[in-house]
């Protein structure tokens, strides 16, 4: 028997890929899943064999993401037998529809911005801020004057004539940790000065060493946006597709939710969300796992998936007519069998990027 499956007339990564010249589906998770489902009966003899024919549904891109209306119309006028969906509400909004076994269970994840930090040989001077340079120069200047005065007050037998710059040199050398002989020729009260210089040298060395380690081990990328569920509660979240379950689920987790304006068509809504993220109009994009992973892989230098933001398990299933309950049972048996074979993991890795 041939089963008619709803097909979009345009590509929706990573779920459905359409050849723009022929208008026929050629790839994507949904397409490849049904291709494998058609042959699962060879491995499991208790499952009936079916062939799947792709039937394009109307090309209306302004349904605000809610394709349940389209699916219901095409199912009930007997144009198609099965339609894939994320929207669980279809089964109770339309009591004449029934859900199959889920093809893939996914979570809602987030996308935030990431920036690459430059690294070069001059980074060893990074800890020397303007304020630190001013402190060092000030210490050398005043230390040199004090050292000169102490030498003047010392006994003549220890007094030697040095140029003014020499005193600054000896203080600077002491700050670098050098054991300067000039500081041994000053009177006993000057030993306090020497201890102060050495203590300052210890502080500067320790601070510089700690800061240098931090600068040299700084990660290649820095991230901007919420990185935990608690951070999400004070963030502005973009939900790419209007009318999808995410638009009603995400407000329970984020401070504010924004979606694309009504004049932005379905194919452009994700681009609108990414541009809004880059522009700082929102802090994070929230969507189902398959879409998020696909966008992150395509923008790996600028987008990042924070691992601690994950909620709202959402299945990818199929809608069928309730009157076709026996067919639904057989399709669900085939899906359950396909979920158990290694080819399914290969499919997840290839089309969605995860297992």
């Amino acid at each position: 028997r041939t089963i008619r499956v709803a097909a979009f007339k345009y590509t929706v990564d990573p779920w459905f890929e359409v050849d723009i010249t022929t208008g026929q589906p050629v790839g994507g998770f949904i397409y490849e899943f049904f291709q494998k489902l058609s042959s699962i009966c060879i491995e499991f003899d208790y499952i009936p064999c079916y062939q799947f024919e792709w039937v394009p549904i109307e090309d209306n891109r302004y349904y605000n993401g809610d394709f349940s209306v389209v699916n219901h119309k095409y199912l009930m006028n007997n144009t198609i037998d099965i339609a894939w969906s994320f929207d669980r509400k279809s089964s109770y909004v339309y009591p004449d529809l029934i859900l199959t076994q889920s093809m893939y269970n996914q979570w809602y994840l987030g996308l935030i911005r990431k920036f690459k930090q430059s690294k070069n040989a001059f980074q060893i001077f990074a800890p020397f801020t303007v304020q630190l340079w001013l402190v060092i120069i000030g210490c050398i200047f005043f230390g040199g004057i004090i050292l000169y005065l102490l030498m003047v007050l010392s006994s003549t037998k220890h007094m030697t004539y040095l140029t003014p710059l020499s005193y600054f040199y000896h203080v600077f050398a002491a700050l670098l940790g050098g054991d300067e002989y000039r500081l041994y020729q000053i009177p006993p009260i000057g030993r306090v000065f020497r201890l102060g210089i050495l203590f300052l040298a210890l502080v500067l060395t320790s601070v510089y060493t700690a800061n240098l380690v931090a600068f040299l081990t700084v990660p290649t990328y820095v991230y901007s946006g919420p990185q935990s569920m608690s951070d999400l509660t004070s963030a502005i979240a973009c939900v790419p597709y209007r009318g999808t379950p995410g638009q009603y689920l995400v407000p329970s987790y984020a401070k504010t939710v924004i979606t694309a304006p009504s004049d932005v068509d379905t194919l452009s809504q994700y681009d609108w969300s990414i541009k809004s993220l880059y522009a700082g109009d929102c802090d994070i994009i929230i969507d189902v796992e398959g879409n998020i992973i696909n966008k992150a892989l395509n923008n790996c230098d600028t987008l990042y998936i924070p691992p601690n933001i994950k909620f709202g398990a959402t299945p990818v299933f199929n809608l069928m007519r309730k009157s076709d309950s026996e067919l639904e049972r057989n399709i669900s048996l085939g899906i359950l069998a396909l979920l158990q074979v290694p080819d399914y993991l290969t499919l997840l890795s290839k089309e969605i990027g995860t297992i």
Side-chain angles (χ1 to χ4, degrees):
R1 177 180 173 181
T2 299
I3 307 299
R4 298 163 298 173
V5 185
F8 284 174
K9 290 185 177 180
Y10 45 86
T11 296
V12 182
D13 287 328
W15 309 106
F16 214 73
E17 181 182 351
V18 175
D19 188 325
I20 58 175
T21 58
T22 64
Q24 294 298 311
V26 292
F29 175 80
I30 301 298
Y31 176 82
E32 296 294 345
F33 188 93
F34 277 98
Q35 291 294 100
K36 295 183 182 300
L37 190 60
S38 65
S39 59
I40 197 67
C41 60
I42 300 174
E43 190 171 349
F44 298 87
D45 55 9
Y46 61 87
I47 298 173
C49 290
Y50 296 107
Q51 295 299 314
F52 297 99
E53 174 190 355
W54 296 97
V55 178
I57 60 177
E58 63 185 79
D59 188 12
N60 190 324
R61 303 179 186 185
Y62 294 90
Y63 265 95
N64 291 333
D66 187 358
F67 294 104
S68 60
V69 178
V70 181
N71 288 334
H72 181 258
K73 183 178 79 170
Y74 276 77
L75 282 167
M76 298 318 296
N77 66 16
N78 202 33
T79 304
I80 58 175
D81 302 305
I82 189 169
W84 60 278
S85 176
F86 302 124
D87 196 353
R88 287 171 289 187
K89 76 175 189 231
S90 301
S91 61
Y92 59 82
V93 172
Y94 304 108
D96 44 6
L97 298 182
I98 192 172
L99 304 180
T100 68
Q101 164 66 34
S102 171
M103 297 182 288
Y104 172 53
N105 291 312
Q106 58 183 346
W107 296 84
Y108 277 88
L109 304 179
L111 272 181
I112 60 176
R113 291 171 293 168
K114 72 177 182 180
F115 307 93
K116 192 170 185 178
Q117 297 193 114
S118 60
K119 292 185 177 181
N120 54 62
F122 294 100
Q123 199 161 358
I124 61 171
F125 298 106
F128 288 106
T129 61
V130 174
Q131 293 84 350
L132 184 56
W133 276 117
L134 291 176
V135 169
I136 294 174
I137 293 172
C139 289
I140 294 172
F141 179 76
F142 289 107
I145 293 175
I146 293 173
L147 179 60
Y148 171 76
L149 294 175
L150 289 173
M151 292 296 290
V152 170
L153 295 175
S154 65
S155 61
T156 55
K157 67 177 182 178
H158 295 301
M159 183 63 183
T160 56
Y161 293 97
L162 299 173
T163 63
L165 290 178
S166 298
Y167 295 102
F168 298 137
Y169 160 76
H170 288 295
V171 173
F172 186 38
L175 286 177
L176 295 178
D179 198 7
E180 284 301 297
Y181 74 95
R182 281 284 159 194
L183 298 178
Y184 287 99
Q185 298 180 8
I186 57 182
I189 191 173
R191 301 298 172 90
V192 177
F193 168 72
R194 178 173 180 270
L195 290 176
I197 287 290
L198 295 179
F199 179 75
L200 182 60
L202 173 65
V203 171
L204 287 177
T205 303
S206 300
V207 171
Y208 175 75
T209 303
N211 286 348
L212 182 60
V213 170
F215 276 98
L216 293 180
T217 58
V218 69
T220 304
Y221 291 95
V222 292
Y223 307 104
S224 173
Q227 299 189 43
S228 67
M229 294 302 294
S230 59
D231 293 341
L232 185 59
T233 59
S234 58
I236 300 174
C238 282
V239 175
Y241 296 119
R242 296 184 305 270
T244 57
Q247 187 176 351
Y248 310 103
L249 175 66
V250 177
S252 300
Y253 296 89
K255 178 183 178 181
T256 306
V257 173
I258 62 174
T259 56
S262 58
D263 60 344
V264 179
D265 68 64
T266 301
L267 294 185
S268 303
Q269 288 177 23
Y270 231 113
D271 289 338
W272 181 91
S273 296
I274 292 176
K275 288 177 181 177
S276 297
L277 180 66
Y278 289 153
D281 297 330
C282 64
D283 304 309
I284 186 170
I285 295 174
I286 299 290
D287 198 12
V288 291
E289 183 177 322
N291 293 341
I292 289 291
I293 293 174
N294 176 264
K295 298 302 179 184
L297 291 175
N298 290 332
N299 302 273
C300 57
D301 287 333
T302 56
L303 295 177
Y304 172 71
I305 302 175
N308 294 323
I309 293 182
K310 182 178 181 180
F311 61 92
T314 302
V316 182
F317 48 79
N318 298 287
L319 293 170
M320 298 182 66
R321 292 179 291 271
K322 186 171 286 188
S323 57
D324 290 334
S325 57
E326 183 178 353
L327 177 61
E328 180 277 325
R329 176 180 178 275
N330 291 335
I331 293 295
S332 291
L333 284 175
I335 293 174
L336 285 170
L338 182 54
L339 298 182
Q340 301 173 33
V341 300
D343 281 352
Y344 178 71
L345 297 181
T346 303
L347 176 62
L348 286 182
S349 178
K350 174 187 174 185
E351 300 296 339
I352 297 181
T354 181
I355 57 172

